[in-house]
Amino acid sequence: MTLLTLVAAVLRLYQLETPSMWWDEILVPLNAATPISDILARAAMEDFHPPAFYLLIKLVMEAGDSDFALRLPSALAGIATVPLLYAMAAPRVGRTTALFAAAILAVDGPMILFARQVRPYALIIFFSLLSAHLLLRWCERPKTGTAVALTAATCSSVFLHYLSLLILAVQGLFAVIVFVRRRGGRPWGQLAVYVLGSAGAVAATWSFFHSNPDTLTKGTVAATALSGLDRLAWVFFGNGSSLIAQAGIVLLALVGTLLLARRNRPLAILGLGTVAGPVILLALARYNSYFNAWHLSFAVPYLCLMAGACLTVLVRPKRIAPVVAVVLGMTAGGAVLWFGQTRYYEPQSHTGNYKQQARQLSGLLRPGALITYSELSELDGADWYASRYASPDPLRRRTVSIGQEVAEDFVSFGNFGHLGRTAEEFLVHFDTIQGNTPLAGGAVYHAVMKHAPPHMGPSLPWRDTLEMTPWDVARQCDAIAGANLVNLFGGSLVPETGDGPGILRYGIESSPSDPRPLFVRLTVPYCNPVAGNIVRMTYAFDGEPPMVAFESQGNEPEAVRTVILRPDKPFSRLECQFTLEPHSSWPNMTGNSGIFVRLKAVSLYANAIAAESLGSSSLDVQEEGIGPVEQGDAGQWRWALGAESTLRFTLPEADAVTADLAINNPIPGQAITLLFNGLPLADIRDLAADKWLSPTVERHLRLEGRQGENTVTVRFAAWNGKPDVPSATFAPGDGRLLAGAFTRLRLERENKAARLVY
Amino acid sequence: MAKHHNLPASGRASSHDAAWTWRLALGCILLVAAALRLYHLETPSQWWDEILVPLTAAFPVAYILDFSRHCEMHPPLYHLFIKLVEGMGVSDFALRLPSAAFGLATIYVVWRLFSRLYDRPVGLVAAGFLAGSAMQVWHVRQVRPYAILIFLFSLSLFHFLRFLRERRNADLLVVLAINIPLFLLHYFTFQIALAEGVILALCWRPHGQGVSLRQLVVFSLGTAVVALPVLFFFFLPSQTTLSIFSFKAGWGEIGQLIVAYSAHVLWSHDDWPMRLGIGALLLAGGAAMGKKTPRELAACLLLAVIPAFILFCMRKTAYFSPRHFLYMTVPAAVLIGHVGRLLPRPAWAIPLALILAAGQAGVLYFGHRAAYYDETSYHHPVFITDFKPMAKELAQRLHPGDILVASDQGTVNAVSWYLDQYVAANPFRNQSLEAGRGAYSVTFFAPFMTWGHLGRTEEAFREAVGAIDSAEPVLNATLYQVPIQREAPPSFASVPYHLRRRAEFPAFYRQVESFTDITVSPYWGGEAIATGNNRPARLSYRLDNAAGPGAQHLQFVFEYKNQGQGSTMAFAARFDDEPSVPLFTSTGPDPAEAKTVSIGREAPYKTLTLTLETVCADQTARYPGGNLETAAFRGFDLEIVPAGRFDAAPVVADLQEINLGKIEHNEANIWRWGLGPSSTLTFALAQAMPLWLEFDFDNVLPGQNVVVAANGAIITTLNGLDAGSQHSLRLPIAGRAGKNDVIIAYTHWNHGTDTFAQTDIRPMSLFIRKLRLVP
């Protein structure tokens, strides 16, 4: 047994530090590095697992956070499981069977894999086997110490994973049946310790369970049972898809159980129950969401035991069987070392590239370059290593040099986010591509953008958009620090980490030909759902001290702020800075709560105040039933569309508002009604058709706006193509519901503040 | 008045109280111990003594053994053990974990064994002392053998004391068995074993009341069987180890050191209340032990005193540090543990042990946290580079493709230990210069204000190097950017022609045409060394020939060193695009440091390229964590002269010249000096044939006699030659198949019977204008 334990230790410890963590592994330390309160919150809101394993790893990280340190608990549990299986089996079914079982367990591929990863499965297998061992002992000889140890092992298992409830269900049922069938005195007190302890563990663990069972997908009972068989075959043979493997599991379970039952019926029943019971329970529940082989890994020691029983029968003469078992284990162990190098012991054996990426990136990224990434969660993985390998962290807090040109390195973790499906599609946006460098699992594209900040004028009105794409940010921004771009869903800007601000600054040059006073309107969409986090915009004209335009303090999952700036004198430069401060951590997959503060593409609009005849220079007006500004030789207009044109605006306090309207009516007999906050202001009927852009309906109204939402409504009785009014169709080739043309449509507050924010 | 407990029979623990309270107390002590030993185990950078272990262990076993035999002050067992650990992981946590685990195991073993030998209060209080011992905590958190050593010593001490009490042979054999790994871990075991021997001898009684003569003999022989191989195979061959014994300190100095280091056993820091408190416990416990088991007390004291006394007698202060007294914490723990026997009730030992553990832990953590748990906690006043922070800084600042020179190979090796883990391609190990590259800059890495032999001060360094673009401080190092303006390949328009190239910094980088995985070590005038073991490092120089047609004789004089077993340095020449002509391959260890090689060239050529391929094998150890400097190219001289003066006919094979100067020329002459007392030509012929020796020379010393002999037969004798006389000889040689030799003997040479060139140390005899063998 010592030799087999040694084999298990070698297979589990050899090159333990070499493979990079993969996604599921690296999530553990990324989250364990956050405060305990965050770990608990994440378990309760985001994670599929209870928090115990993260807390254990947090403790380990106090000693060290190398891959070796993080994987050591799993490795030690994986090694200890081998002699534990022997200790459980040898006194009950004989040393030979136990040795064969231990030998198979020692070299079983999935077991080696589980024991070499920062995942809880090796620990779950160990504790569930330990609880089984103690349960059998307690059933045989009830002692208080055994009951306490059994309860502790059960709790340890339950704390680690929700699937342990399945094991507890099987073991609990077994315990109850044995207890009920027990002849003589029944140790009620010990049973109470076990039941209450286990119930406490279940309650504590279940308090973190947050999935709504109704949202889980469900299969048929048969399909789920077959899935379970597939998973069992995978976890034992390393391949579940083969029919032979699945049949092998069934045959192994049946024959093995029969053979074990000849020696020790309770162990055989408990073994079969642990292998088949969870699958049956899951099948009855038709549970097939997030169900993979790992979740049945606790069955492997029992399958090894069943296989050991079969081998014991097959190997003759009996006296050489123990030797054969040990030789089998050592030979197979050697084979794993020899042939399994790629599978277990190489840098990419766990399919993760983060370690290699971190090693490469520190040398690949150019000093002063703007770095963008195809996927920020992958960046968090690579940064786990990079922050330990280089000082300062090469992936965070970089200084970006903005000059005539801006160097940009795009780190593609195998894709381009939503920026393009192919490299060609993606790269076409950059001014110059200087090449690319291969990266483990991706590539780094080196590009250059000519710096072209927004420039207002010379003609007005002027529009531009500050897009959150790698090329636009490089082209337009004046400074960027502590922030990353999310290149998905149109792009957004987020702080790099959950513990530092992200800053993006633009300098808007102004040289309009119109000398009249201007206004600038910025439409700033952002997401700031978590209370305590801050989105702040500041602005400054011509080097004046920056002023805060607005500051969001959270609880705004989707928000748009409109900032209207009306400088009292001409300006040549407007500087706008957006600051994203993630003060409150929030449960997130990678532990980086910075991504919950987002800035999206910002729209810019500027015009001379006096020239803004079809909009507003002081209100954020939401329009319905009104078309865009159109331009003709005779002037500008906007079409009223359909029965009603609505202008909505919000006032922070009650204030007087002037409405200046001029409507060119193209439909004879048209009737127009004006309303303000539902109250009629004017009702004009039997209008004749106007000469084009010579409106007869003109109104200049002073309205007493109320705090909150206000509505100006213009109703039309007829419009182009109205079915029941054939005479209304004045432009049969135009499908639009044209009711009238606004040649003036202007709402203004009487408040002439230099800064208005909505 | 203290209640005295009965001494339990060894092997059985006393049981007055519920066992679980003792176990719980032990659990708490182990928890405290684990927290002190494991907390931030990965955080401190390894210091030099630590990092030498994994650096060495990364080499093959042959290197490790060579390291122990020739460089190291320790036997090789721990390096071999760490080699196994490196198979699992190379992080600081992985490397230190065995030490921490053995440190914890020591506490458990002390509890377990000394509870059995005495009683539970002794075991628990001893465990409590060790758990919080600053000296223990410091040493069991490092990649050093001391944690294993004290674990084994704890086992050994138990069996030794039990042997003194019960005189069972089994205990003696266990002590001997444990001494095997102890001897292979540390030479201090010699002192401890000697102390054990002295104690046993003192306990010898002729009539069966003490240690028997037979047991004494068994111990002596058993110890000798283990100790002598270690002594003769590892200790005595190591000049490094022996050298530290050569320096003798004053009696006062060594005495003060021993006293100071002994105080560390009580408490490592200068907290006198702690030292006095623990010292008081030691005295009280010692008194209690002396009453019950005086012989065992004496043994514990002698185990501490005798090794210290030996050190005192040797007056060895070099490489003597507190860690060599770490083993004394175990007998000290036994003595302190006996305080538990002074208590009115045995159970009172539980709070005492807990207070001892927690109190020391509290003082250690809150009073001296920075000395244990920070990244630079193991900062050493002598080895002053913090390698891990430095590697993290350099990972950011150095980039693939940089060309680097470092002033200290040891620091490069140590920083590279981390850098190899942190970056995909370590810039120190991957360097290349392609042919035809224009101006570039070399980064000169100067840790802790050292610049090699380029200067003792920065001013001297700057003067030696010339222009420096920038100097960027990085922790306690500086990165200098040295601009390199490339020199065009030399071109010669006529022969004779002489070219000299040296691997000196920064001229090497201006002149070399290309290289791969080569760097310059700025010592001894500059040496070009490989940047990694077991992979070819190449360099090439180019020379353009504009001299027109005419046969040429090219004589290369290479300067190099090749000290490592299995290392090779292969020099070759290539004319234009023709296949390379091997010139000479040195296979290490090669005692020569220069080699003269001549080739003839009849066909015209435009370009001559000299190449060197160095492969530094990983067999021969050197101290700075690697041996790359054992295979070094220092430079070469090339003399090109018209053929027909000093070349030989093709039938003359393997021509070797001894005591002949290199070819020299000036505007009027081409010559070689015949060097006294005799010059020799050895060569081989495929078959016997007559040859002619064409021998033209000028004599420079009046009264010179010259004798020429071939294959043992004198061919000609010229006596009483006048100074300035010229001679042109054509002498017949009866060549034989196989080896032949021609000896030219002189009676006078410079600095011999006469001195005509005071400042030239060469023993010059004849000014030879022609010396060649032709059919």
Side-chain angles (χ1 to χ4, degrees):
Chain A
M1 195 52 228
T2 305
L3 284 174
L4 290 176
T5 307
L6 199 64
V7 169
V10 169
L11 296 180
R12 282 152 182 78
L13 291 173
Y14 175 62
Q15 300 290 359
L16 184 63
E17 195 162 78
T18 302
S20 168
M21 288 190 273
W22 65 295
W23 177 245
D24 278 15
E25 277 191 286
I26 209 158
L27 282 182
V28 178
L30 280 172
N31 282 286
T34 61
I36 291 174
S37 57
D38 290 9
I39 294 172
L40 298 178
R42 183 176 183 272
M45 298 167 69
E46 182 82 13
D47 206 339
F48 300 121
H49 302 91
F53 188 66
Y54 297 100
L55 296 173
L56 171 69
I57 292 300
K58 189 168 187 65
L59 189 65
V60 171
M61 284 165 63
E62 288 299 321
D65 55 12
S66 62
D67 290 359
F68 182 88
L70 299 173
R71 288 176 176 145
L72 192 62
S74 295
L76 294 177
I79 295 164
T81 305
V82 175
L84 176 63
L85 178 63
Y86 177 83
M88 182 178 82
R92 296 181 176 88
V93 294
R95 284 187 196 175
T96 305
T97 301
L99 276 178
F100 272 121
I104 297 167
L105 185 67
V107 301
D108 183 77
M111 289 295 104
I112 294 171
L113 209 57
F114 297 158
R116 294 172 59 82
Q117 300 204 1
V118 194
R119 305 285 289 141
Y121 298 97
L123 291 158
I124 295 167
I125 296 166
F126 172 77
F127 282 119
S128 65
L129 190 66
L130 180 62
S131 62
H133 175 50
L134 294 167
L135 178 61
L136 288 169
R137 186 193 282 182
W138 181 67
C139 292
E140 290 159 0
R141 289 184 300 279
K143 287 183 180 174
T144 304
T146 309
V148 170
L150 166 63
T151 308
T154 303
C155 292
S156 302
S157 167
V158 168
F159 285 145
L160 286 167
H161 207 290
Y162 298 119
L163 68 86
S164 297
L165 300 179
L166 300 174
I167 310 170
L168 178 59
V170 171
Q171 293 184 353
L173 184 65
F174 179 86
V176 168
I177 291 171
V178 171
F179 191 81
V180 169
R181 288 167 53 87
R182 186 174 184 79
R183 292 170 188 164
R186 294 191 176 111
W188 287 101
Q190 294 173 24
L191 182 69
V193 167
Y194 177 51
V195 170
L196 292 176
S198 302
V202 170
T205 305
W206 195 254
S207 67
F208 291 98
F209 191 80
H210 55 87
S211 290
N212 182 351
D214 295 337
T215 63
L216 302 174
T217 60
K218 293 196 170 186
T220 63
V221 171
T224 311
L226 280 175
S227 297
L229 198 57
D230 175 283
R231 309 295 189 265
L232 280 175
W234 189 94
V235 85
F236 186 64
F237 294 120
N239 178 6
S241 56
S242 134
L243 197 62
I244 296 174
Q246 294 177 7
I249 286 292
V250 175
L251 194 64
L252 180 64
L254 292 175
V255 176
T257 302
L258 287 175
L259 292 172
L260 289 174
R262 285 166 45 187
R263 307 290 295 273
N264 187 292
R265 193 174 298 172
L267 176 57
I269 292 169
L270 185 61
L272 182 62
T274 310
V275 171
V279 175
I280 293 169
L281 287 172
L282 291 171
L284 292 174
R286 296 188 290 137
Y287 174 88
N288 67 0
S289 293
Y290 191 59
F291 175 34
N292 60 42
W294 301 66
H295 300 141
L296 294 179
S297 55
F298 52 79
V300 173
Y302 303 95
L303 290 169
C304 291
L305 201 53
M306 293 162 182
C310 297
L311 286 174
T312 306
V313 173
L314 293 175
V315 176
R316 288 289 182 272
K318 279 186 175 179
R319 59 191 162 77
I320 67 160
V323 179
V324 172
V326 174
V327 171
L328 173 75
M330 296 182 70
T331 310
V336 170
L337 279 178
W338 187 258
F339 297 109
Q341 192 70 24
T342 308
R343 181 73 191 89
Y344 303 106
Y345 305 119
E346 289 187 351
Q348 278 150 318
S349 287
H350 292 187
T351 71
N353 290 312
Y354 304 118
K355 195 186 292 193
Q356 292 85 332
Q357 286 167 350
R359 286 173 173 160
Q360 289 176 284
L361 282 174
S362 63
L364 285 184
L365 302 180
R366 294 174 294 175
L370 170 65
I371 312 299
T372 50
Y373 305 88
S374 63
E375 172 58 65
L376 291 191
S377 52
E378 297 284 330
L379 164 65
D380 288 336
D383 190 56
W384 168 262
Y385 290 109
S387 61
R388 281 150 185 80
Y389 289 170
S391 176
D393 183 345
L395 307 185
R396 307 286 194 202
R397 305 275 181 266
R398 293 178 63 91
T399 303
V400 180
S401 303
I402 309 273
Q404 295 293 317
E405 293 187 326
V406 180
E408 182 155 11
D409 288 341
F410 181 85
V411 181
S412 165
F413 295 107
N415 59 57
F416 302 96
H418 289 172
L419 300 171
R421 282 168 295 181
T422 63
E424 290 72 27
E425 255 184 59
F426 164 73
L427 293 173
V428 74
H429 297 281
F430 293 96
D431 292 339
T432 308
I433 303 299
Q434 296 180 317
N436 68 77
T437 313
L439 177 76
V444 178
Y445 293 88
H446 307 289
V448 169
M449 289 297 294
K450 290 191 178 69
H451 189 226
H455 194 104
M456 192 183 297
S459 62
L460 294 174
W462 170 83
R463 291 181 175 82
D464 202 349
T465 305
L466 307 174
E467 297 281 1
M468 297 300 147
T469 60
W471 44 84
D472 284 313
V473 169
R475 183 169 54 85
Q476 294 179 311
C477 86
D478 248 17
I480 179 169
N484 274 323
L485 288 172
V486 179
N487 295 310
L488 302 170
F489 304 108
S492 51
L493 184 88
V494 297
E496 279 181 344
T497 64
D499 54 7
I503 291 167
L504 180 63
R505 191 170 68 229
Y506 292 92
I508 303 165
E509 305 293 332
S510 170
S511 55
S513 53
D514 195 331
R516 293 173 294 173
L518 296 179
F519 76 98
V520 182
R521 184 168 63 223
L522 297 97
T523 309
V524 186
Y526 61 88
C527 307
N528 189 15
V530 183
N533 290 344
I534 287 175
V535 176
R536 184 188 305 114
M537 179 192 155
T538 55
Y539 69 96
F541 287 104
D542 291 331
E544 291 173 355
M547 305 284 287
V548 175
F550 72 86
E551 182 173 288
S552 159
Q553 300 198 339
N555 285 327
E556 293 183 288
E558 293 285 341
V560 180
R561 292 285 182 107
T562 300
V563 177
I564 297 172
L565 303 174
R566 302 194 296 186
D568 54 2
K569 58 186 178 187
F571 66 94
S572 57
R573 181 180 168 84
L574 166 61
E575 207 163 81
C576 297
Q577 177 167 309
F578 300 94
T579 306
L580 312 177
E581 294 181 5
H583 292 291
S584 298
S585 55
W586 194 253
N588 173 39
M589 285 299 285
T590 61
N592 178 4
S593 54
I595 62 163
F596 290 104
V597 198
R598 291 180 181 233
L599 177 72
K600 297 181 180 177
V602 176
S603 300
L604 303 173
Y605 178 80
N607 202 357
I609 292 174
E612 186 69 8
S613 59
L614 289 167
S616 174
S617 66
S618 57
L619 285 167
D620 177 29
V621 181
Q622 308 299 315
E623 300 160 342
E624 287 174 30
I626 302 172
V629 175
E630 297 182 45
Q631 178 94 36
D633 293 339
Q636 293 181 322
W637 69 93
R638 300 180 70 182
W639 282 107
L641 301 172
E644 195 169 280
S645 296
T646 308
L647 305 168
R648 288 196 176 85
F649 57 92
T650 303
L651 292 174
E653 68 273 345
D655 193 7
V657 172
T658 59
D660 196 6
L661 295 94
I663 305 170
N664 184 288
N665 174 41
I667 300 171
Q670 175 71 287
I672 298 175
T673 307
L674 301 178
L675 301 97
F676 179 60
N677 289 337
L679 299 173
L681 295 174
D683 192 7
I684 310 158
R685 297 187 174 276
D686 296 327
L687 287 168
D690 291 336
K691 186 184 169 192
W692 181 237
L693 297 190
S694 299
T696 53
V697 177
E698 294 187 84
R699 292 289 187 277
H700 184 80
L701 305 167
R702 187 173 188 278
L703 309 172
E704 292 298 330
R706 65 191 179 199
Q707 184 181 12
E709 188 176 273
N710 295 269
T711 310
V712 173
T713 308
V714 185
R715 286 187 184 149
F716 296 89
W719 53 87
N720 184 42
K722 187 176 182 187
D724 54 343
V725 187
S727 60
T729 301
F730 63 91
D734 195 327
R736 291 180 292 173
L737 313 180
L738 311 174
F742 291 105
T743 56
R744 281 205 309 281
L745 178 62
R746 180 170 183 165
L747 296 175
E748 296 290 356
R749 284 177 74 175
E750 290 193 350
N751 183 340
K752 301 299 181 190
R755 180 187 74 240
L756 294 163
V757 181
Y758 301 98
Chain B
M1 187 178 172
K3 178 182 176 182
H4 298 289
H5 314 301
N6 292 327
L7 186 68
S10 67
R12 285 176 289 151
S14 60
S15 180
H16 299 297
D17 307 284
W20 70 268
T21 52
W22 294 90
R23 286 181 193 159
L24 192 64
L26 177 70
C28 292
I29 287 170
L30 286 173
L31 210 59
V32 170
L36 292 174
R37 283 152 181 78
L38 295 174
Y39 177 65
H40 281 198
L41 186 61
E42 190 161 277
T43 303
S45 171
Q46 294 183 58
W47 64 292
W48 180 246
D49 278 17
E50 276 192 287
I51 210 161
L52 256 184
V53 178
L55 280 173
T56 305
F59 282 89
V61 171
Y63 180 100
I64 296 171
L65 296 178
D66 192 58
F67 187 70
S68 275
R69 283 167 59 83
H70 295 120
C71 308
E72 174 65 317
M73 275 74 76
H74 300 90
L77 182 61
Y78 186 67
H79 291 87
L80 296 170
F81 172 71
I82 289 297
K83 189 167 186 63
L84 287 180
V85 176
E86 285 179 353
M88 297 184 279
V90 295
S91 62
D92 290 353
F93 180 88
L95 297 171
R96 287 177 178 144
L97 186 64
S99 291
F102 275 107
L104 286 170
T106 299
I107 296 167
Y108 179 77
V109 157
V110 163
W111 145 259
R112 177 91 181 164
L113 299 183
F114 293 102
S115 290
R116 289 169 65 186
L117 191 62
Y118 301 104
D119 56 17
R120 284 192 293 215
V122 174
L124 197 70
V125 174
F129 166 69
L130 289 179
S133 162
M135 196 180 199
Q136 283 270 332
V137 173
W138 170 264
H139 289 102
V140 303
R141 288 171 55 84
Q142 300 199 4
V143 194
R144 307 281 290 137
Y146 298 98
I148 304 179
L149 192 141
I150 53 153
F151 171 78
L152 293 172
F153 180 73
S154 303
L155 294 174
S156 173
L157 181 65
F158 164 74
H159 288 284
F160 188 73
L161 295 179
R162 194 166 74 171
F163 173 75
L164 292 179
R165 185 187 295 175
E166 300 176 3
R167 298 187 298 282
R168 290 194 301 188
N169 290 336
D171 282 320
L172 189 65
L173 293 177
V174 171
V175 170
L176 285 171
I178 293 172
N179 276 350
I180 297 172
L182 281 175
F183 270 112
L184 288 167
L185 276 172
H186 207 289
Y187 295 130
F188 204 85
T189 306
F190 282 104
Q191 279 108 304
I192 295 174
L194 184 62
E196 289 171 342
V198 170
I199 294 165
L200 291 179
L202 291 173
C203 293
W204 173 60
R205 300 288 182 276
H207 304 298
Q209 298 302 308
V211 175
S212 71
L213 183 61
R214 195 177 66 169
Q215 288 171 327
L216 208 53
V217 170
V218 166
F219 179 83
S220 303
L221 289 179
T223 302
V225 165
V226 182
L228 291 179
V230 173
L231 182 72
F232 287 107
F233 192 75
F234 293 113
F235 184 86
L236 292 178
S238 174
Q239 290 305 312
T240 312
T241 306
L242 294 178
S243 67
I244 65 176
F245 289 90
S246 58
F247 175 75
K248 302 288 184 193
W251 296 109
E253 187 183 354
I254 184 67
Q256 283 175 358
L257 270 185
I258 288 172
V259 170
Y261 293 172
S262 300
H264 282 246
V265 176
L266 301 176
W267 186 249
S268 290
H269 305 280
D270 289 335
D271 304 327
W272 283 103
M274 289 295 291
R275 283 183 174 169
L276 290 174
I278 294 170
L281 290 175
L282 185 79
L283 290 175
M289 191 176 180
K291 281 186 181 176
K292 287 289 182 185
T293 51
R295 184 186 294 178
E296 291 158 30
L297 171 67
C300 286
L301 294 176
L302 286 173
L303 277 172
V305 169
I306 292 174
F309 181 69
I310 294 169
L311 281 169
F312 182 73
C313 294
M314 290 192 300
R315 288 182 284 154
K316 171 183 166 299
T317 53
Y319 287 90
F320 170 41
S321 68
R323 65 180 63 88
H324 297 123
F325 282 176
L326 180 66
Y327 78 99
M328 292 184 189
T329 54
V330 180
V334 174
L335 266 66
I336 290 171
H338 276 76
V339 173
R341 308 185 86 187
L342 297 171
L343 299 172
R345 292 172 183 275
W348 289 18
I350 293 176
L352 175 63
L354 290 174
I355 289 169
L356 204 50
Q360 291 182 105
V363 175
L364 187 151
Y365 185 81
F366 294 107
H368 305 282
R369 185 185 190 283
Y372 296 84
Y373 303 119
D374 292 344
E375 195 166 45
T376 55
S377 284
Y378 298 169
H379 187 93
H380 193 279
V382 177
F383 308 108
I384 53 176
T385 294
D386 298 314
F387 305 118
K388 185 153 50 177
M390 181 65 79
K392 289 180 179 178
E393 292 281 346
L394 294 182
Q396 265 286 69
R397 294 164 197 264
L398 304 181
H399 297 92
D402 286 355
I403 294 177
L404 299 165
V405 170
S407 67
D408 184 74
Q409 276 302 304
T411 304
V412 169
N413 290 331
V415 169
S416 288
W417 171 259
Y418 289 109
L419 217 44
D420 286 339
Q421 299 171 46
Y422 295 167
V423 296
N426 180 350
F428 283 114
R429 303 302 188 211
N430 298 276
Q431 303 193 36
S432 65
L433 179 74
E434 63 275 21
R437 181 164 172 182
Y440 62 99
S441 70
V442 170
T443 305
F444 190 96
F445 173 58
F448 47 88
M449 305 295 281
T450 59
W451 300 274
H453 285 172
L454 292 169
R456 289 185 178 178
T457 63
E458 187 171 27
E459 290 70 29
F461 166 73
R462 285 177 179 273
E463 193 173 332
V465 169
I468 291 176
D469 279 347
S470 66
E472 180 187 14
V474 183
L475 301 180
N476 70 343
T478 307
L479 290 175
Y480 298 93
Q481 294 298 329
V482 180
I484 302 295
Q485 298 299 327
R486 300 278 280 156
E487 293 179 8
S491 176
F492 61 97
S494 62
V495 292
Y497 173 79
H498 174 250
L499 178 68
R500 179 181 173 86
R501 287 288 181 257
R502 289 290 175 274
E504 58 193 8
F505 182 79
F508 171 83
Y509 291 96
R510 291 197 294 263
Q511 296 166 344
V512 70
E513 189 198 35
S514 65
F515 62 77
T516 307
D517 295 335
I518 287 272
T519 189
V520 167
S521 170
Y523 288 87
W524 315 114
E527 298 180 333
I529 59 174
T531 57
N533 287 107
N534 297 333
R535 58 179 188 177
R538 299 185 177 94
L539 62 79
S540 68
Y541 286 94
R542 181 179 142 186
L543 175 64
D544 291 340
N545 176 14
Q552 295 176 354
H553 175 204
L554 297 90
Q555 186 194 59
F556 296 91
V557 181
F558 298 115
E559 291 181 37
Y560 65 95
K561 78 179 171 193
N562 186 7
Q563 300 166 334
Q565 188 75 38
S567 297
T568 57
M569 298 179 73
F571 295 88
R574 191 177 72 243
F575 294 97
D576 297 329
D577 294 329
E578 298 171 12
S580 287
V581 180
L583 295 176
F584 156 65
T585 297
S586 163
T587 302
D590 179 354
E593 295 196 342
K595 177 74 177 177
T596 302
V597 181
S598 293
I599 57 171
R601 174 73 182 184
E602 294 189 357
Y605 64 93
K606 289 184 176 175
T607 302
L608 167 65
T609 305
L610 173 72
T611 62
L612 165 63
E613 181 178 287
T614 301
V615 178
C616 183
D618 54 1
Q619 300 297 315
T620 300
R622 283 293 181 274
Y623 180 66
N627 69 348
L628 295 171
E629 64 279 15
T630 59
F633 165 74
R634 288 175 169 156
F636 70 93
D637 282 82
L638 170 61
E639 189 74 34
I640 306 176
V641 297
R645 285 176 170 78
F646 298 108
D647 50 341
V651 294
V652 176
D654 295 336
L655 179 64
Q656 304 289 328
E657 299 161 338
I658 303 165
N659 257 8
L660 270 176
K662 62 183 181 182
I663 300 174
E664 298 174 67
H665 78 266
N666 57 21
E667 289 181 359
N669 298 299
I670 299 171
W671 73 93
R672 301 179 72 174
W673 283 104
L675 303 175
S678 64
S679 302
T680 304
L681 305 176
T682 64
F683 58 96
L685 294 173
Q687 59 188 36
M689 66 173 64
L691 294 173
W692 292 98
L693 177 69
E694 295 180 352
F695 183 26
D696 297 356
F697 64 88
D698 295 359
N699 180 40
V700 294
L701 292 165
Q704 176 74 281
N705 300 329
V706 177
V707 178
V708 181
N711 293 331
I714 293 176
I715 300 172
T716 187
T717 302
L718 304 170
N719 291 328
L721 300 179
D722 295 330
S725 62
Q726 296 188 346
H727 303 269
S728 181
L729 306 177
R730 184 174 167 85
L731 304 171
I733 306 285
R736 61 192 181 198
K739 283 196 169 182
N740 294 264
D741 62 61
V742 173
I743 297 172
I744 307 169
Y746 322 102
T747 52
H748 303 302
W749 56 84
N750 187 39
H751 298 299
T753 53
D754 202 353
T755 299
F756 63 88
Q758 186 71 39
T759 57
D760 193 330
I761 60 167
R762 289 178 294 173
M764 297 172 287
S765 290
L766 287 189
F767 187 84
I768 301 175
R769 296 177 179 277
K770 180 189 282 189
L771 184 67
R772 63 195 299 246
L773 289 159
V774 294

